[in-house]
Amino acid sequence: MNENFKLVPLSGARSDIWQHFGFKVSEKGIILNKNQVFKKCKCAAGYSGNTTNLSFSSETLMEKLLEEEIF
C-alpha cells in the first residue's frame, strides 16, 4: 500500500477513538472512499458510522501490532 497519502479526521467526531483513525483524501481534499485508516499501521477497514465497531477494530489491530512487534 502506498503510505504517502494524507489522512483527515471525521468532521464532527466526538469519540476519542477517532484520534487513531482518518480517511484518505485526494490532493484537493476530497475523501477518496469510506474506509477508515488506522494511523499507526495504515491498515484500512470499512466505515459503518459506528464507533463501537471502530473501537473493537482498533483493539484487534493493536493486539496484532503488539504481537508482531514483540515476537
Side-chain angles (χ1 to χ4, degrees):
M1 174 184 275
N2 179 8
E3 293 191 21
N4 297 322
F5 52 82
K6 184 176 178 184
L7 292 176
V8 296
L10 177 66
S11 63
R14 296 178 300 200
S15 175
D16 291 338
I17 194 68
W18 283 103
Q19 295 174 14
H20 306 287
F21 290 89
F23 292 96
K24 283 191 214 181
V25 292
S26 69
E27 292 178 2
K28 295 180 181 180
I30 299 169
I31 293 176
L32 297 174
N33 57 38
K34 290 291 184 179
N35 289 332
Q36 71 245 1
V37 178
F38 190 49
K39 292 177 182 178
K40 181 165 176 79
C41 67
K42 306 294 193 234
C43 300
Y47 173 60
S48 67
N50 184 325
T51 55
T52 301
N53 290 342
L54 188 59
S55 296
F56 179 75
S57 294
S58 68
E59 288 173 15
T60 304
L61 283 170
M62 285 301 292
E63 288 172 9
K64 288 181 182 179
L65 288 172
L66 288 173
E67 286 175 9
E68 289 175 10
E69 290 177 10
I70 292 172
F71 298 106

